[in-house]
Amino acid sequence: MRGYLIAGNWKMNGSKAANAKLTREILAGWADTASVRLLVCPPYPYLGILAETLSGTPVALGAQNVSQHASGAYTGEVSPGMLKDMACEFVIVGHSERRALMGESSDIVAEKFAAAISAGLRPILCVGETLEEREQDRTEAVIDEQLDAVLDRAGIEAFDSAVIAYEPVWAIGTGRTASPQQAQDVHRHIRSRLAARNAEIAEATQILYGGSVKGDNAAGLFTMPDIDGGLIGGASLKAGDFLAIAAAAASLG
Ligand code: PEP
């Protein structure tokens, strides 16, 4: 039983006051549910405050990025150990915005993923194709390359704790969602790619879908057999929207 994970990627949004309100509303509207876990990933400066607010609650804390280095002269970077120290359980690695805007290659993503695992964090590895790649029928090839870089470096055993998020780039922040069947096809492919290395780990690995998930399309996606929750951008910034997605998962759990 994999259960659902509903993860909010707040990206570079929020403030002390806005985050306090959002967190208060999420906590007030959420009852601990065995089949669904909630996670929020605020910007770095707010991790300390969120760690205190969320301590002892059913909502987990994660970061949006991490350095591949443990310490040293890397101005502006944040190490996996620091995130662990700030009570993060999860960290997003390889988000398409970082791949595209910050030039993170699959090798760098794999280094970050391995460093996160070594520090005891649970990485959420984002993979996904652009519209052009989909139209050229290269979706699976692109995902294989992104996934294999991590599997080759960190090993399949890392997926005892790691999570994967399939996020078609064309669906992120665009209001355009993959259909449940389109998403399921890719999730199935990802799971079989993991299964080629270890069937038991593949079966237990949570694979989230991300890309314009909202309260009204969440249940259709989560009902698919290989979709184990969502990585939510825009809709994670409003408690009501985020909770509606979580409620959709809970209704299926
Ligand atoms: C994301 O950036 O991870 C994401 C899925 O964003 P949105 O939900 O806004 O499409």
Side-chain angles (χ1 to χ4, degrees), residues 49-73:
I49 299 174
L50 266 285
E52 284 183 18
T53 312
L54 298 178
S55 171
T57 76
V59 179
L61 181 65
Q64 299 172 18
N65 178 40
V66 67
S67 172
Q68 63 272 47
H69 304 292
S71 64

mmCIF file with all atom_site columns, all heavy atoms in Angstrom, residues 49-73:
data_model
loop_
_atom_site.group_PDB
_atom_site.id
_atom_site.type_symbol
_atom_site.label_atom_id
_atom_site.label_alt_id
_atom_site.label_comp_id
_atom_site.label_asym_id
_atom_site.label_entity_id
_atom_site.label_seq_id
_atom_site.pdbx_PDB_ins_code
_atom_site.Cartn_x
_atom_site.Cartn_y
_atom_site.Cartn_z
_atom_site.occupancy
_atom_site.B_iso_or_equiv
_atom_site.pdbx_formal_charge
_atom_site.auth_seq_id
_atom_site.auth_comp_id
_atom_site.auth_asym_id
_atom_site.auth_atom_id
_atom_site.pdbx_PDB_model_num
ATOM 1   N N   . ILE A 1 49 ? 11.127 28.712 10.382 1.00 0.00 ? 49 ILE A N   1
ATOM 2   C CA  . ILE A 1 49 ? 9.825  29.050 10.971 1.00 0.00 ? 49 ILE A CA  1
ATOM 3   C C   . ILE A 1 49 ? 8.839  27.907 10.727 1.00 0.00 ? 49 ILE A C   1
ATOM 4   O O   . ILE A 1 49 ? 8.114  27.483 11.638 1.00 0.00 ? 49 ILE A O   1
ATOM 5   C CB  . ILE A 1 49 ? 9.252  30.353 10.359 1.00 0.00 ? 49 ILE A CB  1
ATOM 6   C CG1 . ILE A 1 49 ? 10.194 31.520 10.626 1.00 0.00 ? 49 ILE A CG1 1
ATOM 7   C CG2 . ILE A 1 49 ? 7.854  30.650 10.911 1.00 0.00 ? 49 ILE A CG2 1
ATOM 8   C CD1 . ILE A 1 49 ? 9.772  32.808 9.936  1.00 0.00 ? 49 ILE A CD1 1
ATOM 9   N N   . LEU A 1 50 ? 8.825  27.400 9.508  1.00 0.00 ? 50 LEU A N   1
ATOM 10  C CA  . LEU A 1 50 ? 7.892  26.308 9.174  1.00 0.00 ? 50 LEU A CA  1
ATOM 11  C C   . LEU A 1 50 ? 8.218  25.060 9.990  1.00 0.00 ? 50 LEU A C   1
ATOM 12  O O   . LEU A 1 50 ? 7.306  24.329 10.401 1.00 0.00 ? 50 LEU A O   1
ATOM 13  C CB  . LEU A 1 50 ? 7.964  26.012 7.676  1.00 0.00 ? 50 LEU A CB  1
ATOM 14  C CG  . LEU A 1 50 ? 6.960  26.697 6.741  1.00 0.00 ? 50 LEU A CG  1
ATOM 15  C CD1 . LEU A 1 50 ? 5.589  26.084 6.842  1.00 0.00 ? 50 LEU A CD1 1
ATOM 16  C CD2 . LEU A 1 50 ? 6.864  28.183 6.981  1.00 0.00 ? 50 LEU A CD2 1
ATOM 17  N N   . ALA A 1 51 ? 9.510  24.808 10.212 1.00 0.00 ? 51 ALA A N   1
ATOM 18  C CA  . ALA A 1 51 ? 9.889  23.614 10.986 1.00 0.00 ? 51 ALA A CA  1
ATOM 19  C C   . ALA A 1 51 ? 9.243  23.688 12.366 1.00 0.00 ? 51 ALA A C   1
ATOM 20  O O   . ALA A 1 51 ? 8.747  22.679 12.886 1.00 0.00 ? 51 ALA A O   1
ATOM 21  C CB  . ALA A 1 51 ? 11.399 23.518 11.105 1.00 0.00 ? 51 ALA A CB  1
ATOM 22  N N   . GLU A 1 52 ? 9.241  24.880 12.947 1.00 0.00 ? 52 GLU A N   1
ATOM 23  C CA  . GLU A 1 52 ? 8.625  25.023 14.273 1.00 0.00 ? 52 GLU A CA  1
ATOM 24  C C   . GLU A 1 52 ? 7.112  24.878 14.198 1.00 0.00 ? 52 GLU A C   1
ATOM 25  O O   . GLU A 1 52 ? 6.499  24.185 14.998 1.00 0.00 ? 52 GLU A O   1
ATOM 26  C CB  . GLU A 1 52 ? 8.996  26.381 14.885 1.00 0.00 ? 52 GLU A CB  1
ATOM 27  C CG  . GLU A 1 52 ? 10.413 26.358 15.395 1.00 0.00 ? 52 GLU A CG  1
ATOM 28  C CD  . GLU A 1 52 ? 10.838 27.645 16.086 1.00 0.00 ? 52 GLU A CD  1
ATOM 29  O OE1 . GLU A 1 52 ? 9.957  28.445 16.487 1.00 0.00 ? 52 GLU A OE1 1
ATOM 30  O OE2 . GLU A 1 52 ? 12.051 27.842 16.211 1.00 0.00 ? 52 GLU A OE2 1
ATOM 31  N N   . THR A 1 53 ? 6.512  25.539 13.220 1.00 0.00 ? 53 THR A N   1
ATOM 32  C CA  . THR A 1 53 ? 5.049  25.496 13.100 1.00 0.00 ? 53 THR A CA  1
ATOM 33  C C   . THR A 1 53 ? 4.553  24.078 12.838 1.00 0.00 ? 53 THR A C   1
ATOM 34  O O   . THR A 1 53 ? 3.496  23.680 13.339 1.00 0.00 ? 53 THR A O   1
ATOM 35  C CB  . THR A 1 53 ? 4.571  26.389 11.930 1.00 0.00 ? 53 THR A CB  1
ATOM 36  O OG1 . THR A 1 53 ? 5.216  27.637 12.039 1.00 0.00 ? 53 THR A OG1 1
ATOM 37  C CG2 . THR A 1 53 ? 3.071  26.581 11.932 1.00 0.00 ? 53 THR A CG2 1
ATOM 38  N N   . LEU A 1 54 ? 5.292  23.329 12.035 1.00 0.00 ? 54 LEU A N   1
ATOM 39  C CA  . LEU A 1 54 ? 4.800  22.010 11.607 1.00 0.00 ? 54 LEU A CA  1
ATOM 40  C C   . LEU A 1 54 ? 5.205  20.882 12.543 1.00 0.00 ? 54 LEU A C   1
ATOM 41  O O   . LEU A 1 54 ? 4.694  19.763 12.420 1.00 0.00 ? 54 LEU A O   1
ATOM 42  C CB  . LEU A 1 54 ? 5.307  21.697 10.193 1.00 0.00 ? 54 LEU A CB  1
ATOM 43  C CG  . LEU A 1 54 ? 4.827  22.654 9.097  1.00 0.00 ? 54 LEU A CG  1
ATOM 44  C CD1 . LEU A 1 54 ? 5.434  22.272 7.753  1.00 0.00 ? 54 LEU A CD1 1
ATOM 45  C CD2 . LEU A 1 54 ? 3.295  22.673 9.010  1.00 0.00 ? 54 LEU A CD2 1
ATOM 46  N N   . SER A 1 55 ? 6.108  21.191 13.481 1.00 0.00 ? 55 SER A N   1
ATOM 47  C CA  . SER A 1 55 ? 6.567  20.137 14.400 1.00 0.00 ? 55 SER A CA  1
ATOM 48  C C   . SER A 1 55 ? 5.375  19.519 15.135 1.00 0.00 ? 55 SER A C   1
ATOM 49  O O   . SER A 1 55 ? 4.526  20.236 15.677 1.00 0.00 ? 55 SER A O   1
ATOM 50  C CB  . SER A 1 55 ? 7.555  20.771 15.398 1.00 0.00 ? 55 SER A CB  1
ATOM 51  O OG  . SER A 1 55 ? 7.840  19.857 16.401 1.00 0.00 ? 55 SER A OG  1
ATOM 52  N N   . GLY A 1 56 ? 5.286  18.206 15.109 1.00 0.00 ? 56 GLY A N   1
ATOM 53  C CA  . GLY A 1 56 ? 4.202  17.513 15.808 1.00 0.00 ? 56 GLY A CA  1
ATOM 54  C C   . GLY A 1 56 ? 2.883  17.523 15.066 1.00 0.00 ? 56 GLY A C   1
ATOM 55  O O   . GLY A 1 56 ? 1.870  17.066 15.598 1.00 0.00 ? 56 GLY A O   1
ATOM 56  N N   . THR A 1 57 ? 2.873  18.035 13.843 1.00 0.00 ? 57 THR A N   1
ATOM 57  C CA  . THR A 1 57 ? 1.638  18.049 13.037 1.00 0.00 ? 57 THR A CA  1
ATOM 58  C C   . THR A 1 57 ? 1.749  16.966 11.948 1.00 0.00 ? 57 THR A C   1
ATOM 59  O O   . THR A 1 57 ? 2.849  16.452 11.691 1.00 0.00 ? 57 THR A O   1
ATOM 60  C CB  . THR A 1 57 ? 1.409  19.411 12.337 1.00 0.00 ? 57 THR A CB  1
ATOM 61  O OG1 . THR A 1 57 ? 2.292  19.495 11.216 1.00 0.00 ? 57 THR A OG1 1
ATOM 62  C CG2 . THR A 1 57 ? 1.649  20.579 13.280 1.00 0.00 ? 57 THR A CG2 1
ATOM 63  N N   . PRO A 1 58 ? 0.651  16.663 11.264 1.00 0.00 ? 58 PRO A N   1
ATOM 64  C CA  . PRO A 1 58 ? 0.755  15.651 10.197 1.00 0.00 ? 58 PRO A CA  1
ATOM 65  C C   . PRO A 1 58 ? 1.286  16.199 8.874  1.00 0.00 ? 58 PRO A C   1
ATOM 66  O O   . PRO A 1 58 ? 1.306  15.476 7.884  1.00 0.00 ? 58 PRO A O   1
ATOM 67  C CB  . PRO A 1 58 ? -0.705 15.181 10.044 1.00 0.00 ? 58 PRO A CB  1
ATOM 68  C CG  . PRO A 1 58 ? -1.552 16.277 10.556 1.00 0.00 ? 58 PRO A CG  1
ATOM 69  C CD  . PRO A 1 58 ? -0.737 17.076 11.528 1.00 0.00 ? 58 PRO A CD  1
ATOM 70  N N   . VAL A 1 59 ? 1.713  17.457 8.847  1.00 0.00 ? 59 VAL A N   1
ATOM 71  C CA  . VAL A 1 59 ? 2.209  18.045 7.594  1.00 0.00 ? 59 VAL A CA  1
ATOM 72  C C   . VAL A 1 59 ? 3.743  18.045 7.607  1.00 0.00 ? 59 VAL A C   1
ATOM 73  O O   . VAL A 1 59 ? 4.363  18.564 8.541  1.00 0.00 ? 59 VAL A O   1
ATOM 74  C CB  . VAL A 1 59 ? 1.666  19.476 7.392  1.00 0.00 ? 59 VAL A CB  1
ATOM 75  C CG1 . VAL A 1 59 ? 2.208  20.086 6.098  1.00 0.00 ? 59 VAL A CG1 1
ATOM 76  C CG2 . VAL A 1 59 ? 0.137  19.461 7.369  1.00 0.00 ? 59 VAL A CG2 1
ATOM 77  N N   . ALA A 1 60 ? 4.324  17.434 6.589  1.00 0.00 ? 60 ALA A N   1
ATOM 78  C CA  . ALA A 1 60 ? 5.790  17.315 6.518  1.00 0.00 ? 60 ALA A CA  1
ATOM 79  C C   . ALA A 1 60 ? 6.398  18.544 5.854  1.00 0.00 ? 60 ALA A C   1
ATOM 80  O O   . ALA A 1 60 ? 5.712  19.319 5.181  1.00 0.00 ? 60 ALA A O   1
ATOM 81  C CB  . ALA A 1 60 ? 6.154  16.057 5.732  1.00 0.00 ? 60 ALA A CB  1
ATOM 82  N N   . LEU A 1 61 ? 7.722  18.687 6.049  1.00 0.00 ? 61 LEU A N   1
ATOM 83  C CA  . LEU A 1 61 ? 8.447  19.850 5.525  1.00 0.00 ? 61 LEU A CA  1
ATOM 84  C C   . LEU A 1 61 ? 9.498  19.399 4.511  1.00 0.00 ? 61 LEU A C   1
ATOM 85  O O   . LEU A 1 61 ? 10.198 18.400 4.725  1.00 0.00 ? 61 LEU A O   1
ATOM 86  C CB  . LEU A 1 61 ? 9.129  20.576 6.687  1.00 0.00 ? 61 LEU A CB  1
ATOM 87  C CG  . LEU A 1 61 ? 9.914  21.842 6.342  1.00 0.00 ? 61 LEU A CG  1
ATOM 88  C CD1 . LEU A 1 61 ? 8.988  22.940 5.813  1.00 0.00 ? 61 LEU A CD1 1
ATOM 89  C CD2 . LEU A 1 61 ? 10.682 22.355 7.566  1.00 0.00 ? 61 LEU A CD2 1
ATOM 90  N N   . GLY A 1 62 ? 9.620  20.165 3.432  1.00 0.00 ? 62 GLY A N   1
ATOM 91  C CA  . GLY A 1 62 ? 10.654 19.869 2.443  1.00 0.00 ? 62 GLY A CA  1
ATOM 92  C C   . GLY A 1 62 ? 11.206 21.145 1.850  1.00 0.00 ? 62 GLY A C   1
ATOM 93  O O   . GLY A 1 62 ? 10.629 22.228 2.017  1.00 0.00 ? 62 GLY A O   1
ATOM 94  N N   . ALA A 1 63 ? 12.342 21.009 1.156  1.00 0.00 ? 63 ALA A N   1
ATOM 95  C CA  . ALA A 1 63 ? 12.948 22.153 0.473  1.00 0.00 ? 63 ALA A CA  1
ATOM 96  C C   . ALA A 1 63 ? 12.784 21.963 -1.033 1.00 0.00 ? 63 ALA A C   1
ATOM 97  O O   . ALA A 1 63 ? 12.413 20.889 -1.497 1.00 0.00 ? 63 ALA A O   1
ATOM 98  C CB  . ALA A 1 63 ? 14.420 22.264 0.842  1.00 0.00 ? 63 ALA A CB  1
ATOM 99  N N   . GLN A 1 64 ? 13.072 23.047 -1.769 1.00 0.00 ? 64 GLN A N   1
ATOM 100 C CA  . GLN A 1 64 ? 12.834 23.019 -3.222 1.00 0.00 ? 64 GLN A CA  1
ATOM 101 C C   . GLN A 1 64 ? 14.081 22.698 -4.032 1.00 0.00 ? 64 GLN A C   1
ATOM 102 O O   . GLN A 1 64 ? 14.015 22.503 -5.239 1.00 0.00 ? 64 GLN A O   1
ATOM 103 C CB  . GLN A 1 64 ? 12.306 24.383 -3.668 1.00 0.00 ? 64 GLN A CB  1
ATOM 104 C CG  . GLN A 1 64 ? 11.017 24.786 -3.029 1.00 0.00 ? 64 GLN A CG  1
ATOM 105 C CD  . GLN A 1 64 ? 10.629 26.219 -3.355 1.00 0.00 ? 64 GLN A CD  1
ATOM 106 O OE1 . GLN A 1 64 ? 11.132 26.826 -4.308 1.00 0.00 ? 64 GLN A OE1 1
ATOM 107 N NE2 . GLN A 1 64 ? 9.729  26.775 -2.570 1.00 0.00 ? 64 GLN A NE2 1
ATOM 108 N N   . ASN A 1 65 ? 15.223 22.687 -3.343 1.00 0.00 ? 65 ASN A N   1
ATOM 109 C CA  . ASN A 1 65 ? 16.495 22.485 -4.046 1.00 0.00 ? 65 ASN A CA  1
ATOM 110 C C   . ASN A 1 65 ? 17.549 22.194 -2.990 1.00 0.00 ? 65 ASN A C   1
ATOM 111 O O   . ASN A 1 65 ? 17.320 22.444 -1.795 1.00 0.00 ? 65 ASN A O   1
ATOM 112 C CB  . ASN A 1 65 ? 16.856 23.766 -4.811 1.00 0.00 ? 65 ASN A CB  1
ATOM 113 C CG  . ASN A 1 65 ? 18.186 23.673 -5.531 1.00 0.00 ? 65 ASN A CG  1
ATOM 114 O OD1 . ASN A 1 65 ? 18.521 22.634 -6.109 1.00 0.00 ? 65 ASN A OD1 1
ATOM 115 N ND2 . ASN A 1 65 ? 18.956 24.739 -5.501 1.00 0.00 ? 65 ASN A ND2 1
ATOM 116 N N   . VAL A 1 66 ? 18.695 21.679 -3.410 1.00 0.00 ? 66 VAL A N   1
ATOM 117 C CA  . VAL A 1 66 ? 19.786 21.402 -2.484 1.00 0.00 ? 66 VAL A CA  1
ATOM 118 C C   . VAL A 1 66 ? 21.090 21.399 -3.264 1.00 0.00 ? 66 VAL A C   1
ATOM 119 O O   . VAL A 1 66 ? 21.095 21.094 -4.460 1.00 0.00 ? 66 VAL A O   1
ATOM 120 C CB  . VAL A 1 66 ? 19.550 20.042 -1.769 1.00 0.00 ? 66 VAL A CB  1
ATOM 121 C CG1 . VAL A 1 66 ? 19.652 18.863 -2.740 1.00 0.00 ? 66 VAL A CG1 1
ATOM 122 C CG2 . VAL A 1 66 ? 20.477 19.856 -0.579 1.00 0.00 ? 66 VAL A CG2 1
ATOM 123 N N   . SER A 1 67 ? 22.171 21.727 -2.572 1.00 0.00 ? 67 SER A N   1
ATOM 124 C CA  . SER A 1 67 ? 23.491 21.626 -3.198 1.00 0.00 ? 67 SER A CA  1
ATOM 125 C C   . SER A 1 67 ? 23.919 20.163 -3.258 1.00 0.00 ? 67 SER A C   1
ATOM 126 O O   . SER A 1 67 ? 23.514 19.360 -2.417 1.00 0.00 ? 67 SER A O   1
ATOM 127 C CB  . SER A 1 67 ? 24.514 22.419 -2.380 1.00 0.00 ? 67 SER A CB  1
ATOM 128 O OG  . SER A 1 67 ? 25.816 22.162 -2.872 1.00 0.00 ? 67 SER A OG  1
ATOM 129 N N   . GLN A 1 68 ? 24.779 19.858 -4.213 1.00 0.00 ? 68 GLN A N   1
ATOM 130 C CA  . GLN A 1 68 ? 25.364 18.511 -4.263 1.00 0.00 ? 68 GLN A CA  1
ATOM 131 C C   . GLN A 1 68 ? 26.578 18.415 -3.350 1.00 0.00 ? 68 GLN A C   1
ATOM 132 O O   . GLN A 1 68 ? 27.123 17.338 -3.162 1.00 0.00 ? 68 GLN A O   1
ATOM 133 C CB  . GLN A 1 68 ? 25.729 18.122 -5.705 1.00 0.00 ? 68 GLN A CB  1
ATOM 134 C CG  . GLN A 1 68 ? 26.787 18.966 -6.400 1.00 0.00 ? 68 GLN A CG  1
ATOM 135 C CD  . GLN A 1 68 ? 26.185 20.171 -7.119 1.00 0.00 ? 68 GLN A CD  1
ATOM 136 O OE1 . GLN A 1 68 ? 25.359 20.905 -6.562 1.00 0.00 ? 68 GLN A OE1 1
ATOM 137 N NE2 . GLN A 1 68 ? 26.633 20.400 -8.347 1.00 0.00 ? 68 GLN A NE2 1
ATOM 138 N N   . HIS A 1 69 ? 26.995 19.563 -2.781 1.00 0.00 ? 69 HIS A N   1
ATOM 139 C CA  . HIS A 1 69 ? 28.196 19.589 -1.939 1.00 0.00 ? 69 HIS A CA  1
ATOM 140 C C   . HIS A 1 69 ? 27.813 19.576 -0.462 1.00 0.00 ? 69 HIS A C   1
ATOM 141 O O   . HIS A 1 69 ? 26.782 20.112 -0.074 1.00 0.00 ? 69 HIS A O   1
ATOM 142 C CB  . HIS A 1 69 ? 29.010 20.848 -2.241 1.00 0.00 ? 69 HIS A CB  1
ATOM 143 C CG  . HIS A 1 69 ? 29.381 20.966 -3.691 1.00 0.00 ? 69 HIS A CG  1
ATOM 144 N ND1 . HIS A 1 69 ? 30.272 20.117 -4.308 1.00 0.00 ? 69 HIS A ND1 1
ATOM 145 C CD2 . HIS A 1 69 ? 28.938 21.803 -4.665 1.00 0.00 ? 69 HIS A CD2 1
ATOM 146 C CE1 . HIS A 1 69 ? 30.379 20.431 -5.584 1.00 0.00 ? 69 HIS A CE1 1
ATOM 147 N NE2 . HIS A 1 69 ? 29.578 21.459 -5.831 1.00 0.00 ? 69 HIS A NE2 1
ATOM 148 N N   . ALA A 1 70 ? 28.697 19.017 0.351  1.00 0.00 ? 70 ALA A N   1
ATOM 149 C CA  . ALA A 1 70 ? 28.395 18.879 1.778  1.00 0.00 ? 70 ALA A CA  1
ATOM 150 C C   . ALA A 1 70 ? 28.667 20.160 2.553  1.00 0.00 ? 70 ALA A C   1
ATOM 151 O O   . ALA A 1 70 ? 27.981 20.468 3.532  1.00 0.00 ? 70 ALA A O   1
ATOM 152 C CB  . ALA A 1 70 ? 29.212 17.730 2.376  1.00 0.00 ? 70 ALA A CB  1
ATOM 153 N N   . SER A 1 71 ? 29.708 20.916 2.142  1.00 0.00 ? 71 SER A N   1
ATOM 154 C CA  . SER A 1 71 ? 30.045 22.178 2.832  1.00 0.00 ? 71 SER A CA  1
ATOM 155 C C   . SER A 1 71 ? 31.137 22.867 2.022  1.00 0.00 ? 71 SER A C   1
ATOM 156 O O   . SER A 1 71 ? 31.661 22.283 1.073  1.00 0.00 ? 71 SER A O   1
ATOM 157 C CB  . SER A 1 71 ? 30.564 21.898 4.252  1.00 0.00 ? 71 SER A CB  1
ATOM 158 O OG  . SER A 1 71 ? 31.781 21.179 4.172  1.00 0.00 ? 71 SER A OG  1
ATOM 159 N N   . GLY A 1 72 ? 31.474 24.080 2.407  1.00 0.00 ? 72 GLY A N   1
ATOM 160 C CA  . GLY A 1 72 ? 32.619 24.736 1.789  1.00 0.00 ? 72 GLY A CA  1
ATOM 161 C C   . GLY A 1 72 ? 32.276 26.000 1.030  1.00 0.00 ? 72 GLY A C   1
ATOM 162 O O   . GLY A 1 72 ? 31.255 26.632 1.262  1.00 0.00 ? 72 GLY A O   1
ATOM 163 N N   . ALA A 1 73 ? 33.178 26.363 0.112  1.00 0.00 ? 73 ALA A N   1
ATOM 164 C CA  . ALA A 1 73 ? 33.115 27.651 -0.571 1.00 0.00 ? 73 ALA A CA  1
ATOM 165 C C   . ALA A 1 73 ? 32.140 27.591 -1.758 1.00 0.00 ? 73 ALA A C   1
ATOM 166 O O   . ALA A 1 73 ? 32.556 27.540 -2.919 1.00 0.00 ? 73 ALA A O   1
ATOM 167 C CB  . ALA A 1 73 ? 34.520 28.048 -1.036 1.00 0.00 ? 73 ALA A CB  1
#
